[in-house]
């Protein structure tokens, strides 16, 4: 149903203040003006709007849960059902609202709780697109607050102004699927060649080879940055958190069975919840039945439509592999477009492909139409020059980039991050995948590295596929980038991102205090690749040679990203080293990164050093999570405190002949 031409907001306004007591007052019925609300909370993540522990719900019951994970000054002031009971129709937040996971559960939960509008200083791309897809209005106009409090109905055009034409049409239609049912069939079936002489980036070339011109778009005009467009898609993949939800949405609009477009290019993974039996929080909260429901919805789709599925292991916890890593190892090729129901889909951009995350509504639409909606993005060129110092890895490069003021201020939101320069060229494809994977944390649309001889070798060695890098698969000379940054990698030292946000990176030399750790976790899509395990081996083999193993008070978990990685580690005889040092080896799965399995904390006082990609509050349990590179995580596990491999070796050299290395 289309949205009316003007909208009254008959409800209260919730200010997400940077003060838990002020939020508590609002929940009891006290209404604030903007001035009384004070400073707003920035960086409200989807992990806080709908924590992973409530994502077993995908219907109207979501309305009980918005903001239950919102942490302010170590407090979580919003409980189950609080938003519904308090009658809020509008929510106001600060900068970069909705950062993090691409989970559509977040705007769906807000909408189900009675919220009709979210106002924020700025929004993350995926969150805002998901909100529009489900019919939740958004605005960056804080002037609306006083008008709404005065009882004024706001004209619909005030929520469409400033958006591209396609987004405006979707907002007016009341959501993507309603729009799609009216406009998508027929003329939007084929890619439209783009004729232009202007120098173009690799990302724009891929987009323009997949662009489908809508009937209302000019016949000969190429898209411009910010335009809403549809692209044909080479690969579509989902995981069990969202497969069932997307199928439910698809059937509600297109009927059951729905007419899938080219099912051979649809892949479905079980990887996020395969360790639920070892997740205390899921058991304590009675979520196991909900997980079974999600899994059943996933399996029903895979079996009912005969699409390619990669499932849980039949004889114990774990899976065939994490979706992002497996897409790079098995499916995506240079120059292709792939989308997945996860914000870390850009992982495969390391192969020179355009890969990005979408919500369940976008996926439901793409399953049927073979098309995906996006905005023609700007490109942010990141030149990495100089030399990486020993012990510095791609993860440190990303943590350094996250510290840049232009990123912290949201300058990368919606951008394609194109990694270039001699350091990028020297990186393995696995290390490049860390750069592109963590574009999600930068707020970008996706990340990409131009394919080269390393890409060819990767595809031949990992997949037995011979590819030719075509001349067009690189950015042209003379491209004008929307933004650019040059980083002297020689200056980068190992970093640790302090708990709360991946942007809290601190060079080890500046931490200034000893930080003991209880848990060391090495795995995930970001750090469960072959190159990462090569690094773990280097550190732990050195440790054993110097009489070190993980202290008894520290729990170390090493989790393979895929079964292919596990086989590699077995062939390279790595496992005896890992076992000797005291690691618990885990089969592939998202586990700790999704707060669903070993490696996640279970108490607020626990400190984790982790190689995962984000450390938002509650992301990996209730404790404090420091992010670091695989090298630093391994070294910290041996030391029982935050430390780099280089510093650990210095301590060992300094203690030789005077103190037992076991006391490091």
């Amino acid at each position: 149903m289309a949205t009316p031409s003007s909208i009254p907001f008959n409800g209260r306004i919730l200010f997400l203040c940077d003060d838990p007591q002020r939020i508590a007052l609002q929940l009891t019925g006290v209404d604030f003006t903007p001035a009384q609300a004070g400073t707003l909370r920035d960086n409200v993540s989807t992990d806080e709007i709908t924590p992973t522990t409530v994502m077993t719900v995908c219907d109207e019951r979501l309305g009980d849960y918005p903001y239950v994970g919102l942490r302010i000054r170590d407090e979580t002031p919003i409980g189950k059902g609080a938003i519904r009971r308090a009658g809020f129709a509008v929510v106001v937040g600060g900068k970069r609202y909705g950062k993090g996971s691409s989970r559509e559960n977040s705007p769906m939960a807000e909408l189900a709780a009675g919220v009709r509008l979210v106002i924020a200083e700025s929004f993350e791309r995926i969150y805002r697109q998901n909100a529009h897809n489900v019919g939740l209005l958004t605005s960056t106009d804080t002037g609306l607050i006083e008008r709404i409090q005065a009882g004024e109905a706001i004209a619909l055009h005030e929520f469409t102004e400033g958006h591209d034409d396609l987004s405006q049409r979707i907002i007016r239609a009341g959501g993507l699927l309603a729009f799609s049912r009216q406009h998508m069939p027929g003329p939007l079936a084929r890619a439209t060649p783009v004729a232009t002489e202007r120098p173009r980036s690799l990302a724009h070339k891929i987009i323009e080879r997949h662009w489908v011109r809508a009937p209302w778009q000019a016949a000969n005009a190429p898209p411009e940055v910010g335009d809403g467009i549809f692209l044909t898609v080479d690969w579509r993949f989902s995981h069990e958190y969202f497969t069932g939800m997307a199928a439910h949405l698809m059937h509600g609009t297109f009927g059951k069975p729905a007419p899938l477009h080219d099912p051979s290019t649809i892949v479905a993974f079980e990887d996020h919840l395969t360790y639920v039996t070892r997740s205390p929080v899921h058991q304590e909260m009675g979520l196991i039945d909900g997980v079974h429901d999600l899994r059943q919805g996933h399996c029903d789709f895979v079996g009912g439509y005969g699409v390619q599925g990669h499932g849980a292991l039949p004889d114990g916890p774990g899976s065939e592999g994490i979706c992002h890593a497996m897409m790079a190892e098995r499916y995506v090729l240079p120059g292709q477009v792939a989308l997945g129901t996860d914000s870390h889909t850009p992982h495969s951009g390391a192969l020179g492909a355009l890969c990005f995350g979408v919500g369940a509504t976008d996926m439901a639409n793409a399953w049927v139409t073979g098309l995906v909606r996006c905005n023609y993005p700007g490109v942010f060129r990141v030149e990495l020059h100089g030399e990486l110092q020993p012990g510095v890895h791609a993860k440190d490069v990303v943590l350094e980039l996250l510290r840049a003021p232009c990123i912290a201020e949201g300058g990368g939101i919606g951008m394609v991050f194109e990694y270039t320069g001699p350091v990028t060229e020297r990186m393995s494809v696995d290390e490049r995948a860390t750069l592109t994977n963590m574009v999600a944390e930068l707020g970008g649309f996706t990340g990409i590295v131009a394919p080269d001889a390393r890409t060819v070798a990767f595809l031949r060695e990992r997949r037995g596929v011979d590819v030719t890098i075509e001349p067009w698969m690189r950015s042209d000379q003379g491209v004008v980038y929307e933004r650019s940054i040059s980083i002297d990698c020689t200056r980068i030292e190992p970093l640790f991102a302090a708990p709360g946000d991946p942007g809290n990176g601190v060079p080890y030399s500046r931490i200034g205090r000893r930080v003991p750790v209880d848990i060391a976790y090495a795995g995930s899509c970001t750090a469960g690749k072959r190159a990462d395990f090569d690094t773990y081996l280097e550190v732990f083999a050195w440790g054993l040679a110097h009489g070190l193993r993980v202290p008894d008070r520290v729990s170390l978990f090493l989790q393979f990203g895929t079964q292919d990685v596990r086989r590699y580690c077995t062939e390279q005889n790595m496992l005896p080293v890992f076992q000797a040092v005291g690691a618990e080896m885990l089969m592939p799965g998202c586990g700790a990164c999704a707060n669903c399995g070993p490696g996640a904390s279970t108490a607020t006082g626990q400190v984790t050093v982790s190689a995962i990609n984000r450390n938002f509050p509650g992301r990996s349990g209730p404790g404090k999570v420091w992010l670091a590179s695989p090298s630093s995580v391994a070294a910290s596990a041996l030391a029982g405190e935050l430390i780099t491999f280089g510093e650990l070796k210095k301590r060992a050299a300094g203690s030789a002949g005077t103190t037992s290395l076991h006391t490091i």
Side-chain angles (χ1 to χ4, degrees), residues 364-650:
N365 191 63
W367 280 342
V368 172
T369 65
L371 306 177
V372 64
R373 164 211 178 192
C374 67
N375 290 93
Y376 192 77
V379 181
F380 196 133
R381 182 175 183 266
V382 180
E383 182 190 24
L384 304 179
H385 61 91
E387 294 281 348
L388 291 178
Q389 299 302 302
V392 177
H393 302 272
K395 181 68 164 285
D396 299 297
V397 173
V398 178
L399 294 180
E400 178 70 22
L401 185 56
L402 278 160
R403 301 171 66 222
C406 63
I407 299 299
E409 294 165 4
I413 292 177
M415 292 275 194
V416 174
F417 281 77
E418 179 184 309
Y419 290 97
T420 67
V423 172
T424 306
E425 292 167 4
R426 290 192 294 268
M427 282 183 177
S428 68
V429 173
D430 278 351
E431 281 282 85
R432 294 174 184 181
T434 298
L435 298 179
T436 58
N437 177 292
M438 289 193 65
V439 164
E441 281 60 61
L442 298 169
F445 173 60
T446 190
I448 197 167
V449 178
D452 57 13
R454 291 183 183 270
T455 316
V456 173
F458 176 93
L459 293 170
R460 182 182 299 118
E461 293 166 6
R462 304 288 178 93
R463 290 160 55 175
V465 174
D466 286 314
V467 298
T468 300
I469 305 303
E470 300 179 27
W472 68 268
M473 292 181 178
R474 61 178 60 88
S475 294
D476 295 330
Q477 292 290 327
V479 172
V480 177
Y481 293 93
E482 279 65 39
R483 303 199 72 153
S484 62
I485 189 170
S486 180
I487 298 177
D488 181 1
C489 294
T490 308
R491 295 173 171 268
I492 298 176
E493 58 181 289
L495 287 97
F496 291 82
D501 194 280
N504 295 337
V506 183
Y508 174 74
S509 62
R510 299 182 193 172
I511 292 178
R513 60 188 174 91
R514 179 175 177 268
V515 182
V517 299
D518 304 289
I519 300 169
Y521 175 79
S524 80
C525 57
T526 315
K529 307 180 296 297
R530 290 190 191 187
D532 303 314
F533 274 86
D534 288 339
T535 298
Y536 303 140
L537 177 67
E538 177 188 3
V539 177
F540 291 134
W542 176 91
L544 290 175
H546 289 78
L548 290 174
R549 70 182 307 279
V550 178
D552 291 340
R553 63 178 179 80
V554 177
S555 298
L556 168 64
F557 301 93
L558 294 181
Q559 190 161 31
F560 308 109
T562 67
Q563 291 293 339
D564 288 343
V565 173
R566 176 174 173 264
R567 283 186 285 272
Y568 170 75
C569 292
T570 301
E571 292 165 358
Q572 299 297 313
N573 202 31
M574 295 183 184
L575 302 187
V577 173
F578 298 148
Q579 291 161 356
V581 84
E584 179 177 349
M585 305 305 300
L586 300 174
M587 289 295 182
C590 292
C593 192
N595 195 20
C596 186
S601 61
T602 56
T604 55
Q606 290 179 311
V607 175
T608 300
V609 59
S610 181
I612 63 177
N613 37 45
R614 52 180 56 140
N615 58 345
F616 299 132
R619 172 76 186 185
S620 189
K624 302 289 194 296
V625 177
W626 290 76
L627 299 182
S629 73
S631 174
S632 295
V633 169
S636 299
L638 290 174
E641 63 180 86
L642 298 185
I643 198 169
T644 67
F645 188 30
E647 181 63 23
L648 182 63
K649 288 191 285 189
K650 287 181 184 177

